[in-house]
Amino acid sequence: MVVASLRLEVSEAHDVGPSIRRALPFPPVRILTPDAIIEWVTAGWERGVRRVSDFEQRYEEWEKKTEQTVKKRPERKESFVTSSGIVVRRLYVPRCGDKKELKRYMENVGFPGEYPFTRGVQRTMYRGRFWTMRQYAGFGTAEETNRRFRYLLEQGQTGLSTAFDLPTQIGYDSDHPMARGEVGKVGVAISSLADMEQLFDGIPLDKVTTSMTINAPAAVLLAMYIVVGEKQGVPSEKLGGTTQNDILKEYVARGTYIFPPKPSMRLITDIFAYCSEKVPQWNTISISGYHIREAGSTAVQEVAFTLANAIAYVEAAVKRGLDVDTFGPRLSFFFNAHNHFFEEIAKFRAARRLWARIMRERFGAKNPKSWQLRFHTQTGGSTLTAQQPDNNIVRVTIQALAAVLGGTQSLHTNSRDEALALPTEESARIALRTQQIIAFESGVADTVDPLAGSYYVEELTDEIERRAMEYIEKIDEMGGAVQAIEAGYMQREIRDAAYRTQMAVENGEEIVVGVNAFRVEDEPEPELLRVDPRLGERRRKELADLRAGRSAAEVETALARLKEAAQGTDNLMPYIVDAVRGYATLGEICGVLRDVFGEYRPAQW
Amino acid sequence: MAERTIRVLVAKPGLDGHDRGALVIAQGLRDAGMEVVYSGLRQTPEQIVAAALQEDVDCIGLSSLSGAHMELFPEVVRLLRAQGADDILVVGGGVIPREDIPALKEAGIAEVFTPGTSIQETVEFIRTHVRRKEVPQDIPEPPDRIDHIGIAVPSLREALPFYTEQLGMRVIHQEVIEDQQVTAAFLAVGESTVELLEPTAPDSPIAKFLDKRGPGIHHVAYRVKDVAERLRRAREAGCRLIDEEPRPGGHGKLIAFVHPKSTGGVLTEFCQRVDE
C-alpha cells in the first residue's frame, strides 16, 4: 500500500518538471528500494507530514511568476517590516495540512492573481500599488464641481468620481419642468457638452481616470467625455474610467431609470461593443450592489442580486453576438461596505470567487481577465447617523478597512455629514484622510489578503457564496434577473430585509450608537453645504444661450439620424457622439430615445 | 357611523429614487392598522395632490432625500389649500437639515421626521394629529338620562315662580354651594331636575357667565355609570376638558365638566351617583 502510493506521488512529481525536484528529499526514480522507501517516509514525517504535493508546486510557480511581475513593476518598498523589525512577507500560505485540506485550499482559496481569485485579483495587491482613492463628488454647477475636483486632486486623491444631479441622471435638461427643485442638488447639472467641457477644465483626461455615476443616459455622458478628450487632444483609446451603466439595479433599488428593460439592455451592449473597439481601457459597466444594499438588502442579497444582474448583462451581450472574452475583462463591480467587519470582508472574497466560477464555468470565458471581479467600494451611506455625526468618521474607518482587507480596487469613503446634506470641503477631506491613514499608517496593505486562513473568515466566505448561489439559482428558475425584477422579486426581498432591520433597531435588538442608545440631547447641527436655490433659474438662462448660439440645423440633422438608428438595429454610440459634438443637449438626445423606446413604468406591488 | 381606518398616501415628490424610508414607513403604518397608498417614484406635487383627493386620504407623508424638499413640500400644501383640502395632514421626512424645519412648518408641513425617527413616533403623531373624518368606532351606550339642566339666573326669587307656578314643578332642594359661590334650587321633572343657579358673589363663575352671555342654559348634565371612563374617552378623542379627574359634586355625586368648545357650545357635565 505504502509503496503504491509513494510510487504515485513520485511519478506525479516527476512529470511536473525540474522546479519541483529541488523540493524532493532525493531524486525521483521509477523503482524504490525498501530502504529508500523507509528513509523517504521518515523524512516526510519529520517535516510534519508536509509532503511534496501539487500545493508546493503551485506555490512555487506562483512565486516565480510573481517575481517576474515585480521585476517589471516593483512594489512600493523593497522590503516591508514591522516596528519590531519583523519582515512582512508578500503572501502567507498554509504551513502544513493534510492533502485533502491543501486540495481544498487550492480549489477555494488559491493564490492572489490566480483563479478563483479569492485572495485578490492582483499578485501583489497593495504592496504594488494602493487602491485608487476615488471620492465621489459633484454638486451645483460644472464650475463649482471642477473646483472640488481640483481640490481633491491637490489633496492626493488618485481618481475622479462624478456625481450628477437627478435631472441629468434621468435625461432631463436643467430647464425641464420635471427638474424643478432638483437642479444641482445631489450632483452636478450637465445638460450639454459645454457643461462637460467646464467640468473637466484644466484636468488632463489622459492623466486621470474618471468614474461617472450615470446609468440610463450613460451613452450620452460617455460620448461627452470622449468629445472633451478629443478637444484636449486625448484620443479615446487613452481614456480610462468607468460608466456605471447598470440599469437593472435602477429598477431594483436606485430609481433613475428612463427606458424599459429591453432598449436599456440594447444601449448597454452598444456601449460594450463600441468601447471594445474605440475606448478599450474603459470600464463599460460597474455592476452595482451598492444601491441594493443601501435599499436595505443583506450582504448575501447584495452579492446574489448583483451577480444575477451581471449574468443578465453577459447573456445579453453574448446573444448580441459579442465574444465573452472581448467585453468580459471590461466589466467592473461596485459594492458597499457596512459595519459587520468580518462579514463584509468575507462578502468581497466570496463575490470574487463566485464570479470567477460563473465566468469560467457558465460562460466558458478563456481569458483570465474575464474571470476577475474588479470592484469599487463605497462605505455604507445608510449606516451614517444624523445624530452625533462625528461618530460617522469611526464607522467609515471600520467599513473602509473591511473594503481594503477584502481587496477592493478603488474606494470612496463617505463624509461624516452625509446623513444631513452633501459633504462640506472639510468633511470630504477627513474622509479622504481616513483612506490615507489606512494606506500609509496601518500596515494592513503590506501583505496580500491577510485574513485568508482565518477559520472564521474562510467559513463566512464559503457560507456567503453558498447562500448567494441559492438565490442565483432561484432567479435562474424565474427566467433570469430581468424577469425576477419585472415580477418584483428582488424588490420584495430587499424591502422585507429593510423592514426587519428597522424593527430590530426599534425593539433594541440592534444598537445604533447615538440613535437608540447613547444619545445626547440638544446636539448642535454642524455647518452644512448649501446648494444655491436660484441655480435652476441661472441654468435656464445658460441653456437658452446655448440653444441660441449653436447650429440648429446641425442639431436637427444629428437628432433625426439618431432617431432613425434607434428605430433600427445600428449601434447608437456613433450617432450619439455626433449629436453631442454639435451641442445637442442631453434632454434632446434622451427625448428622441424616449420617443422611440418609451418610458419605464414600474408595476405597483 | 363608524370611524374609518386612517388612510395615508406615502409619496415621493421630485426625481429622488431613494425609497427605502418610504417603503419602510408604508409597511410600518400598515402594521399599525392604517391603510396606506404608495405613490411610487417621481411624482409632481400636482400628481400627489390629485392622488390624495382621489384616494380620500387623511394624511400625506412626503419623502425626499435629494434636497428638493424646500421647493416641493410647500408646493403640495399650497395645492391642497387651493383645492380646499387643507384638512389633510401633511408630514415629511428624509435628509432634511434641521434649520429647514421651521420654514417647512411655517409652510404647513405639520411635522418633519429626520433620520433616526422610529416608526412608532410617526404612527403616534399621525394618530393624534389627523382630522378624524367620522365618529369613533366603539360607540358607548348613551347616558342613562339627562340628570339635570343648569340654568343661570340673576335672581332665584324672580325666576322661580315661572317654574313652580306656571309649570307646577316642585323645589325639592335648595342650597348654597360655597366653593362655587352659587345658590342652587333643584326642581324635579320626571327623572331629571332643573337646577336654577344664582351667583352669590360678583366674580363667581355664574356671575361671569351672566355678564358674558346673559341668563340662560349654563350646562347640561348627563347621568353616566362611570365618569372616569367618559373622561378618558373624551380625552382620547381630543376633547377639551375642564376636569382632568372626576370630583365630588355634592348629593353623593361624582362629576366632571367638558369645555363648551368640544360639545357644540354647551358646558357639559358628566355625573354619576355613587350612593346608588
Side-chain angles (χ1 to χ4, degrees):
Chain A
M1 284 276 279
V2 173
V3 175
S5 86
L6 272 175
R7 266 176 200 285
L8 194 63
E9 187 83 42
V10 172
S11 67
E12 269 177 6
H14 187 61
D15 290 336
V16 296
S19 71
I20 200 66
R21 285 201 198 111
R22 276 182 286 115
L24 293 172
F26 57 86
V29 286
R30 291 276 168 214
I31 297 156
L32 301 171
T33 63
D35 279 357
I37 291 166
I38 288 161
E39 199 189 314
W40 202 95
V41 169
T42 312
W45 291 138
E46 276 167 2
R47 289 157 63 224
V49 206
R50 183 161 158 266
R51 296 185 301 184
V52 174
S53 61
D54 291 353
F55 171 74
E56 290 203 328
Q57 177 206 336
R58 269 198 50 193
Y59 184 27
E60 206 167 299
E61 282 172 9
W62 180 84
E63 279 196 312
K64 245 168 83 180
K65 281 191 191 157
T66 304
E67 280 303 333
Q68 288 164 6
T69 313
V70 172
K71 255 181 219 145
K72 271 187 277 175
R73 275 193 302 273
E75 294 183 338
R76 285 185 284 119
K77 296 180 186 174
E78 284 214 352
S79 75
F80 293 82
V81 287
T82 69
S83 70
S84 322
I86 300 167
V87 171
V88 180
R89 297 213 311 268
R90 184 174 297 139
L91 188 70
Y92 294 86
V93 295
R95 286 183 194 223
C96 61
D98 63 18
K99 225 180 148 182
K100 231 165 90 188
E101 242 175 75
L102 288 173
K103 190 160 172 268
R104 222 175 49 203
Y105 173 86
M106 284 188 291
E107 275 170 12
N108 290 328
V109 185
F111 297 93
E114 290 181 2
Y115 188 87
F117 301 100
T118 312
R119 301 199 65 177
V121 292
Q122 291 122 5
R123 292 176 175 279
T124 60
M125 287 303 289
Y126 310 133
R127 279 170 71 104
R129 192 175 67 79
F130 289 128
W131 60 93
T132 303
M133 299 178 193
R134 194 189 292 284
Q135 298 294 92
Y136 187 45
F139 57 92
T141 59
E143 202 183 336
E144 283 169 286
T145 303
N146 177 266
R147 270 204 300 279
R148 178 67 70 92
F149 277 177
R150 290 174 186 225
Y151 173 78
L152 286 166
L153 290 171
E154 276 163 28
Q155 296 298 313
Q157 173 163 300
T158 47
L160 295 175
S161 177
T162 317
F164 296 101
D165 72 357
L166 286 166
T168 306
Q169 294 189 48
I170 300 171
Y172 294 123
D173 292 335
S174 298
D175 57 357
H176 191 281
M178 283 300 287
R180 177 171 58 174
E182 305 278 15
V183 175
K185 288 282 163 57
V186 302
V188 57
I190 300 290
S191 303
S192 78
L193 178 62
D195 299 327
M196 201 72 159
E197 285 167 335
Q198 198 164 35
L199 182 62
F200 292 102
D201 183 41
I203 300 170
L205 299 193
D206 52 347
K207 298 285 189 302
V208 292
T209 58
T210 303
S211 168
M212 291 190 262
T213 300
I214 195 75
N215 294 279
V220 185
L221 275 297
L222 175 59
M224 288 182 186
Y225 195 78
I226 291 170
V227 179
V228 172
E230 266 173 28
K231 295 199 165 191
Q232 287 189 1
V234 180
S236 62
E237 287 75 11
K238 285 209 171 148
L239 295 176
T242 309
T243 34
Q244 195 163 77
N245 197 23
D246 170 13
I247 199 66
L248 292 177
K249 64 93 176 55
E250 296 294 334
Y251 304 125
V252 178
R254 193 167 173 277
T256 68
Y257 41 73
I258 305 178
F259 316 113
K262 219 177 142 190
S264 294
M265 295 298 269
R266 171 188 171 187
L267 278 169
I268 289 166
T269 51
D270 279 355
I271 292 174
F272 286 2
Y274 182 83
C275 288
S276 70
E277 260 182 62
K278 299 272 172 50
V279 205
Q281 294 185 65
W282 197 260
N283 295 312
T284 49
I285 191 169
S286 171
I287 306 158
S288 306
Y290 183 82
H291 317 89
I292 289 172
R293 189 69 179 280
E294 284 303 286
S297 85
T298 65
V300 166
Q301 288 167 344
E302 182 188 351
V303 172
F305 297 163
T306 308
L307 297 195
N309 289 346
I311 289 168
Y313 294 125
V314 173
E315 278 175 350
V318 168
K319 217 168 148 192
R320 179 85 181 273
L322 298 177
D323 172 16
V324 69
D325 281 321
T326 64
F327 67 87
R330 299 321 304 169
L331 304 178
S332 65
F333 289 80
F334 174 23
F335 290 111
N336 207 315
H338 270 221
N339 285 331
H340 196 294
F341 188 64
F342 290 110
E343 186 182 39
E344 293 302 297
I345 295 167
K347 176 188 79 183
F348 300 124
R349 299 173 86 247
R352 214 160 27 228
R353 179 160 81 206
L354 195 46
W355 185 242
R357 288 176 172 164
I358 289 168
M359 283 302 267
R360 190 158 103 163
E361 287 161 24
R362 180 169 180 159
F363 293 110
K366 302 273 188 303
N367 183 348
K369 286 213 177 313
S370 303
W371 305 336
Q372 293 175 2
L373 180 144
R374 294 169 302 120
F375 67 102
H376 172 68
T377 306
Q378 179 170 341
T379 57
S382 62
T383 69
L384 302 180
T385 63
Q387 295 75 13
Q388 302 173 48
D390 284 351
N391 293 347
N392 291 326
I393 298 173
V394 183
R395 293 191 178 95
V396 166
T397 307
I398 294 170
Q399 296 162 2
L401 198 52
V404 168
L405 290 170
T408 194
Q409 275 57 62
S410 60
L411 179 60
H412 167 101
T413 32
N414 287 330
S415 296
R416 59 185 167 170
D417 45 5
E418 287 185 65
L420 301 162
L422 288 187
T424 61
E425 198 165 273
E426 190 195 356
S427 303
R429 190 183 61 230
I430 294 172
L432 176 60
R433 294 288 180 260
T434 304
Q435 294 199 38
Q436 289 163 337
I437 290 167
I438 292 173
F440 293 97
E441 298 183 17
S442 77
V444 295
D446 291 352
T447 184
V448 178
D449 190 27
L451 288 174
S454 147
Y455 297 122
Y456 180 41
V457 171
E458 292 299 357
E459 190 143 336
L460 273 178
T461 306
D462 293 348
E463 197 56 25
I464 289 172
E465 184 189 19
R466 192 181 66 73
R467 289 177 187 220
M469 200 55 221
E470 276 176 17
Y471 264 121
I472 290 172
E473 280 163 7
K474 204 175 212 172
I475 291 166
D476 281 340
E477 276 166 28
M478 300 173 82
V482 177
Q483 281 76 5
I485 291 164
E486 282 176 337
Y489 171 70
M490 292 188 198
Q491 296 93 314
R492 265 194 308 276
E493 287 287 305
I494 295 168
R495 190 184 52 187
D496 291 350
Y499 195 58
R500 280 197 301 274
T501 305
Q502 179 67 23
M503 289 297 110
V505 171
E506 297 210 0
N507 63 30
E509 252 171 73
E510 269 183 37
I511 295 295
V512 182
V513 172
V515 174
N516 65 353
F518 316 113
R519 300 168 63 122
V520 293
E521 300 305 325
D522 294 326
E523 293 178 56
E525 189 161 270
E527 193 71 15
L528 299 176
L529 180 104
R530 308 296 269 182
V531 176
D532 180 3
R534 287 156 309 173
L535 181 60
E537 223 173 284
R538 224 164 74 212
R539 292 282 300 157
R540 274 191 287 279
K541 197 184 163 303
E542 279 175 20
L543 276 164
D545 291 347
L546 175 97
R547 290 198 170 97
R550 64 185 183 183
S551 154
E554 197 184 319
V555 170
E556 219 168 279
T557 315
L559 291 178
R561 290 185 60 221
L562 172 64
K563 184 164 193 170
E564 205 180 313
Q567 285 159 340
T569 56
D570 276 8
N571 191 321
L572 296 180
M573 270 307 286
Y575 298 93
I576 294 173
V577 172
D578 279 349
V580 160
R581 205 178 271 130
Y583 292 89
T585 66
L586 168 80
E588 289 161 350
I589 294 170
C590 290
V592 164
L593 299 178
R594 276 184 160 99
D595 283 349
V596 179
F597 295 152
E599 289 192 57
Y600 178 71
R601 296 258 176 270
Q604 291 295 342
W605 36 266
Chain B
M1 225 208 302
E3 180 192 82
R4 58 172 212 191
T5 314
I6 295 173
R7 290 171 64 84
V8 183
L9 172 68
V10 173
K12 290 284 303 172
L15 301 178
D16 178 34
H18 295 94
D19 60 359
R20 174 181 185 168
L23 291 169
V24 164
I25 280 289
Q27 186 64 42
L29 298 181
R30 264 180 211 129
D31 284 0
M34 299 181 190
E35 274 175 38
V36 182
V37 184
Y38 174 53
S39 72
L41 301 179
R42 290 191 214 168
Q43 301 295 305
T44 61
E46 289 79 6
Q47 288 170 318
I48 290 169
V49 169
L53 296 177
Q54 194 193 332
E55 298 285 346
D56 191 21
V57 299
D58 308 294
C59 172
I60 301 175
L62 299 170
S63 161
S64 172
L65 284 71
S66 69
H69 51 273
M70 294 305 281
E71 219 155 318
L72 300 175
F73 288 11
E75 183 63 7
V76 170
V77 177
R78 196 188 65 75
L79 291 168
L80 281 174
R81 283 183 184 150
Q83 301 261 6
D86 47 353
D87 59 331
I88 296 178
L89 179 75
V90 181
V91 297
V95 176
I96 294 172
R98 210 188 302 159
E99 61 186 74
D100 288 351
I101 294 175
L104 289 172
K105 287 193 171 169
E106 186 69 21
I109 314 300
E111 189 55 271
V112 176
F113 301 104
T114 50
T117 310
S118 71
I119 292 175
Q120 200 48 42
E121 278 171 68
T122 312
V123 166
E124 271 160 25
F125 184 89
I126 292 174
R127 274 211 184 115
T128 50
H129 289 80
V130 84
R131 279 294 169 82
R132 308 246 143 180
K133 295 233 162 151
E134 284 132 13
V135 291
Q137 200 146 38
D138 56 332
I139 303 167
E141 288 299 311
D144 295 346
R145 68 178 80 129
I146 289 179
D147 182 273
H148 63 268
I149 294 170
I151 297 172
V153 295
S155 155
L156 276 179
R157 200 175 47 78
E158 281 178 31
L160 268 173
F162 173 76
Y163 294 92
T164 51
E165 290 169 30
Q166 296 297 316
L167 296 176
M169 289 158 68
R170 202 163 52 83
V171 176
I172 52 169
H173 180 71
Q174 184 163 335
E175 72 171 301
V176 178
I177 304 167
E178 292 292 351
D179 65 337
Q180 296 287 316
Q181 297 172 298
V182 67
T183 307
F186 298 85
L187 298 128
V189 51
E191 293 184 329
S192 303
T193 55
V194 168
E195 205 178 308
L196 298 182
L197 305 163
E198 180 196 302
T200 58
D203 57 346
S204 65
I206 295 296
K208 283 187 195 152
F209 179 86
L210 286 168
D211 283 347
K212 216 166 131 193
R213 306 178 56 165
I217 292 183
H218 174 261
H219 70 272
V220 176
Y222 296 96
R223 178 82 65 88
V224 297
K225 293 199 172 63
D226 187 346
V227 172
E229 166 63 14
R230 295 282 172 172
L231 268 185
R232 187 190 62 74
R233 293 184 67 92
R235 185 181 304 117
E236 272 189 10
C239 295
R240 186 158 153 201
L241 304 181
I242 289 170
D243 298 298
E244 288 295 328
E245 297 294 333
R247 59 183 168 92
H251 294 292
K253 284 177 181 171
L254 210 50
I255 62 163
F257 283 93
V258 181
H259 197 278
K261 269 232 146 75
S262 304
T263 62
V266 179
L267 178 65
T268 299
E269 180 186 348
F270 296 139
C271 85
Q272 173 190 353
R273 292 203 72 107
V274 285
D275 56 353
E276 265 178 11

